[in-house]
């Protein structure tokens, strides 16, 4: 099939195509090859009024796969189709690649990349690991319990499978590609339990580099109290839910820490500088492989960053997860992941119409039937425009209520820099021939099919004419990415002018981005030292002024 439609070709697309796929017809979502996928994802898609893909109808609008797509899939999609993976975007999700990328960046750019435990890729670097272990056999480590601890992680495994700790090289036993890293021996503990953070990151574009991080996340706990004298007990040292739900202390731990082993981030940790270090960590990790990503359109990446905090409040990157778990096993999952998915689909411009019953749950406490059953029995052709408008208005009320409930998080950053979220009009829900507007840090720019114009500005038209420039089929132009959508906060670029230095088509863009983040980190550290009594909101305002940040400063909600 042909390559994705260019901006000029979009003008020649028959209106019936848009009306069939985005207008009066349903928006169709497809999950994996067999339709089986995360329960929460399916629920959110149905709540948005979308229809599930069936083999009888080969048309689809969003294809979500837990694994990557072949490059051929990206070359053959139409302008009204979207994929949840970017070509080569999953490279940092392989543990061995991540170790290699970050090591290379550290050699070039120095200590700014010192946020990942030192590690080795085995079997290729076994001799280097052996030499490192030999250097540890000195007079300062006379006893076994004084030797450094290493953690072994199979490259091809997930959910904590195959991970173990050891002190002596003779205890290392592996039969597949593996990484071995220094173990963080002094993690920050809550109630004596080890934990790490699962943070959600969305990248809708690498050309230019555009990174969003969700305000809310999960704190994942071990189920046995942390103790270095017992290295064989995974429930003390691993925080994966898939492992700890099988632990003997799972029920007891619920009573001490709270229901489940996953908790919302809010109120767990309060340190403004820590959150800015995590922001830097995420941006620099994405930057480590950005030069390998080809220009693409109508696709995005959704990552789960696992971050450990040590007892000096220093963050460490453990790994990056491709298609992080979207299970619905506890209240924390529902409270964090459900609005996160809704906000992410809003961010990338996917429609919200013919919405399921859950939108109306806020107006009634009566039990509702499953949204899937309701949507399957509703004929879209019979929905009048009036009913469609009512549904959209109800969805807007639900969205405003959700944002009102999160108002506390808004007070912690500069409200003056925040544009109000765009609400879809009835005409945009009915047909996508009139594409949604693009926001430039609060300033709306009118968008038309094939071009984007703004009075007195030629920059956008010149961008569109670039040979390697591509615009999304729904009019999304990521050179002018909105600073915020729901709980998603744009962490890069930190200001509009940064777009000129973070486009891979420009030489020296990696160095410029690293320099920018080095200044960001130093400025945040200096502000925290100069204003020890300042609130997080005040520190965020100082940082916005010093760094010319035109969006939000990322911090979790209260």
């Amino acid at each position: 099939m042909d390559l994705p439609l260019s901006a000029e070709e979009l003008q020649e697309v028959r209106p019936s195509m848009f009306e069939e796929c985005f207008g009066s017809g349903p928006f169709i979502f497809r999950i994996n090859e067999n339709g089986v996928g995360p329960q929460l994802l399916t629920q959110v898609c149905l709540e948005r009024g979308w229809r599930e893909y069936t083999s009888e109808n080969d048309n689809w609008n969003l294809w979500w796969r837990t694994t990557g797509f072949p490059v051929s899939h990206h070359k053959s999609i139409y302008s009204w189709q979207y994929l949840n993976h970017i070509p080569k975007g999953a490279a940092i999700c392989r543990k061995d690649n991540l170790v290699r990328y970050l090591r290379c960046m550290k050699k070039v750019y120095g200590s700014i990349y010192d946020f990942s435990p030192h590690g080795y890729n085995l079997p290729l670097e076994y001799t280097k690991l052996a030499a490192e272990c030999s250097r540890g056999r000195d007079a300062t480590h006379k006893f076994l319990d004084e030797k450094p601890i290493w953690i072994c992680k199979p490259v091809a495994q997930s959910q904590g499978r195959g991970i173990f700790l050891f002190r002596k090289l003779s205890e290392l036993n592996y039969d597949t590609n593996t990484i071995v890293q220094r173990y963080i021996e002094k993690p920050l503990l809550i109630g004596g339990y080890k934990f790490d953070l699962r943070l959600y990151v969305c990248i809708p574009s690498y050309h230019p580099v555009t990174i969003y991080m969700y305000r809310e996340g999960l704190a994942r706990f071990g189920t046995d109290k942390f103790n270095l004298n017992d290295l064989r007990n995974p429930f003390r040292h691993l925080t994966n839910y898939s492992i700890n739900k099988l632990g003997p202390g799972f029920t007891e731990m619920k009573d001490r820490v709270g229901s489940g082993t996953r908790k919302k981030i809010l109120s767990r940790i309060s340190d403004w500088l820590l959150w800015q270090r995590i922001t830097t960590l995420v941006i620099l990790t994405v930057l480590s492989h950005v030069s390998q990503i080809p220009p693409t359109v109508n696709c995005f990446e959704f990552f789960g960053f696992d971050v450990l905090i040590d007892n000096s409040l220093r963050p460490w990157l453990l790994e990056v997860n491709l298609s992080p778990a979207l299970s619905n096993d506890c209240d924390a999952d529902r409270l964090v992941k459900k609005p996160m998915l809704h906000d992410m689909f809003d961010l990338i411009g996917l429609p919200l119409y013919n919405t399921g019953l859950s939108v109306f749950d806020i107006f009634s406490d009566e039990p509702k039937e499953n949204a899937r059953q309701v949507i399957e029995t509703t004929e879209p052709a019979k929905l009048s425009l009036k009913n469609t408008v009512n549904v959209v208005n109800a969805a807007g009320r639900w969205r405003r209520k959700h944002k009102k409930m999160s108002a506390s998080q808004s007070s912690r950053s500069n409200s003056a820099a925040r544009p109000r979220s765009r609400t879809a009009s009835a005409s945009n829900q009915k047909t996508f021939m009139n594409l949604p507007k693009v926001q430039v840090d609060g300033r709306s720019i009118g968008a038309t099919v094939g071009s984007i114009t703004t009075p007195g500005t030629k920059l956008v038209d010149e961008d569109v004419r670039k040979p390697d420039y591509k615009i999304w089929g729904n009019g999304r132009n990521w050179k002018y990415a909105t600073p915020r959508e729901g709980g998603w906060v744009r962490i890069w670029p930190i200001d509009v002018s940064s777009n000129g230095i973070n486009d891979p088509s420009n030489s020296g863009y990696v160095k410029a981005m690293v320099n920018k983040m080095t200044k960001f980190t130093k400025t945040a550290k200096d502000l925290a030292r100069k204003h020890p009594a300042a609130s997080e909101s005040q520190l965020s305002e100082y940082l916005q002024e010093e760094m010319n940040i035109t969006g939000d400063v990322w911090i979790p909600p209260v």
Side-chain angles (χ1 to χ4, degrees):
M1 301 182 69
D2 296 333
L3 293 174
L5 299 179
S6 65
E8 293 75 16
E9 291 169 336
L10 283 173
Q11 294 177 336
E12 302 175 1
V13 175
R14 292 183 296 109
S16 59
M17 174 185 293
F18 284 89
E19 291 185 1
E20 177 183 355
C21 300
F22 293 99
S24 58
F27 188 94
I28 299 175
F29 69 96
R30 181 177 182 179
I31 299 181
N32 292 321
E33 302 290 346
N34 54 5
V36 178
Q39 176 187 3
L40 202 62
L41 173 64
T42 301
Q43 183 180 356
V44 168
C45 290
L46 292 172
E47 288 178 359
R48 297 180 71 86
W50 301 348
R51 290 291 189 91
E52 286 188 272
Y53 169 86
T54 62
S55 58
E56 299 176 357
N57 184 359
D58 196 37
N59 292 328
W60 53 268
N61 299 106
L62 171 66
W63 191 352
W64 184 291
R65 284 177 51 164
T66 52
T67 58
F69 292 92
V71 176
S72 59
H73 283 53
H74 291 273
K75 293 182 178 180
S76 62
I77 63 173
Y78 292 104
S79 60
W80 37 267
Q81 293 179 319
Y82 303 85
L83 305 176
N84 73 311
H85 292 301
I86 294 177
K88 300 184 180 180
I92 56 175
C93 297
R94 275 185 59 98
K95 300 179 182 69
D96 52 350
N97 286 343
L98 184 61
V99 168
R100 185 170 65 254
Y101 292 157
L102 296 182
R103 182 193 301 161
C104 291
M105 297 296 282
K106 184 177 179 180
K107 287 181 179 178
V108 176
Y109 298 106
S111 60
I112 188 69
Y113 269 92
D114 191 17
F115 53 77
S116 179
H118 184 59
Y120 299 92
N121 289 327
L122 304 183
L124 183 63
E125 297 176 331
Y126 179 83
T127 54
K128 294 181 180 180
L129 173 63
E132 178 70 19
C133 292
S134 297
R135 283 194 293 270
R137 299 172 184 171
D138 52 30
T140 61
H141 300 98
K142 295 181 179 180
F143 304 100
L144 179 61
D145 58 0
E146 295 178 351
K147 291 183 178 295
I149 300 176
W150 300 86
I151 182 168
C152 179
K153 304 176 182 178
V155 170
Q157 298 287 352
S158 61
Q159 298 180 335
R161 292 188 293 263
I163 297 179
F164 64 93
L165 280 62
F166 65 94
R167 292 184 186 270
K168 297 187 299 182
L169 190 62
S170 59
E171 299 173 344
L172 174 60
N173 184 19
Y174 63 96
D175 56 4
T176 184
N177 288 350
T178 300
I179 66 165
V180 171
Q181 293 178 296
R182 287 291 296 266
Y183 185 63
I184 306 300
E185 300 183 23
K186 297 181 179 180
L188 181 66
L189 304 178
I190 294 181
Y193 294 91
K194 180 182 176 180
F195 72 98
D196 67 10
L197 302 180
R198 166 61 59 87
L199 304 173
Y200 297 105
V201 174
C202 179
I203 304 178
S205 170
Y206 280 92
H207 296 262
V209 184
T210 307
I211 308 172
Y212 289 85
M213 186 153 60
Y214 201 62
R215 285 195 182 275
E216 190 57 272
L218 297 174
R220 310 182 305 169
F221 288 83
T223 49
D224 281 356
K225 287 197 172 183
F226 182 77
N227 190 334
L228 289 178
N229 294 326
D230 181 9
L231 301 184
R232 297 184 178 275
N233 184 349
F235 310 116
R236 298 187 190 276
H237 303 283
L238 304 184
T239 58
N240 306 74
Y241 176 77
S242 56
I243 288 180
N244 281 281
K245 67 181 180 180
L246 306 176
F250 181 72
T251 303
E252 180 183 0
M253 185 263 191
K254 284 185 179 182
D255 298 330
R256 295 184 180 182
V257 180
S259 178
T261 60
R262 289 180 287 196
K263 306 292 291 182
K264 294 175 69 177
I265 286 179
L266 75 168
S267 75
R268 288 289 172 179
I269 308 169
S270 179
D271 186 275
W272 180 84
L273 183 58
L274 168 65
W275 305 127
Q276 307 321 308
R277 288 171 172 167
I278 289 178
T279 297
T280 302
L281 175 155
V282 171
I283 294 173
L284 293 178
T285 300
V286 173
L287 180 61
S288 68
H289 81 134
V290 71
S291 60
Q292 303 181 10
I293 311 299
T296 53
V297 69
N298 282 27
C299 53
F300 59 96
E301 277 296 354
F302 172 52
F303 292 132
F305 274 65
D306 291 343
V307 177
L308 178 71
I309 303 170
D310 66 19
N311 61 359
S312 63
L313 292 183
R314 178 180 178 181
W316 295 89
L317 176 66
L318 300 182
E319 61 183 65
V320 181
N321 295 269
L322 180 70
S323 298
L326 295 175
S327 56
N328 190 15
D329 299 325
C330 62
D331 290 341
D333 285 334
R334 177 178 56 82
L335 294 174
V336 173
K337 298 177 183 178
K338 196 171 182 180
M340 179 264 296
L341 286 173
H342 273 295
D343 290 343
M344 183 170 66
F345 291 145
D346 289 345
L347 172 67
I348 61 180
L350 301 187
L352 172 65
Y353 63 152
N354 297 350
T355 309
L357 282 179
S358 65
V359 170
F360 304 98
D361 286 346
I362 61 173
F363 306 116
S364 174
D365 295 330
E366 297 178 1
K368 302 296 183 180
E369 296 180 3
N370 185 279
R372 181 196 302 265
Q373 298 174 351
V374 175
I375 294 174
E376 287 178 349
T377 58
T378 302
E379 292 294 331
K382 297 180 180 179
L383 289 176
S384 65
L385 177 60
K386 180 178 179 180
N387 290 337
T388 302
V389 173
N390 289 338
V391 168
V392 172
N393 290 337
R397 292 195 297 272
W398 178 86
R399 180 69 59 199
R400 289 192 294 271
K401 181 176 178 65
H402 167 63
K403 291 182 178 180
K404 189 174 182 180
M405 293 172 63
S406 303
S408 58
Q409 74 184 37
S410 302
S411 63
R412 299 174 68 186
S413 59
N414 188 359
S415 59
R418 296 180 179 176
R420 292 190 62 84
S421 299
R422 170 181 49 80
T423 57
S425 66
S427 60
N428 281 339
Q429 298 300 331
K430 185 64 178 175
T431 173
F432 271 58
M433 285 302 293
N434 295 324
L435 296 175
K437 293 182 178 180
V438 178
Q439 291 194 2
V440 186
D441 289 336
R443 302 188 303 277
S444 297
I445 297 180
T448 60
V449 178
S451 66
I452 300 178
T453 59
T454 182
T457 302
K458 297 182 179 180
L459 174 63
V460 181
D461 290 334
E462 293 174 358
D463 292 336
V464 172
R465 286 197 294 268
K466 289 182 179 180
D468 60 346
Y469 182 82
K470 296 183 178 181
I471 189 170
W472 281 37
N474 62 0
R476 282 292 190 269
N477 181 354
W478 296 108
K479 286 186 70 68
Y480 306 100
T482 180
R484 180 186 180 200
E485 180 63 59
W488 289 100
V489 175
R490 190 191 67 205
I491 60 174
W492 185 268
I494 62 176
D495 63 88
V496 176
S497 62
S498 297
N499 270 310
I501 68 170
N502 77 326
D503 191 337
S505 62
N506 297 333
S507 60
Y509 73 97
V510 172
K511 182 178 181 180
M513 285 182 65
V514 172
N515 290 341
K516 191 83 170 182
M517 294 314 301
T518 301
K519 181 180 178 182
F520 178 92
T521 302
K522 183 179 184 301
T523 302
K525 185 177 180 179
D526 290 343
L527 289 173
R529 185 180 66 252
K530 291 178 181 178
H531 307 282
S535 66
E536 289 185 336
S537 177
Q538 291 173 323
L539 289 171
S540 295
E541 291 179 5
Y542 297 151
L543 184 61
Q544 286 173 320
E545 182 178 355
E546 291 285 338
M547 294 296 299
N548 190 32
I549 298 175
T550 54
D552 289 358
V553 172
W554 183 87
I555 49 176
V558 177

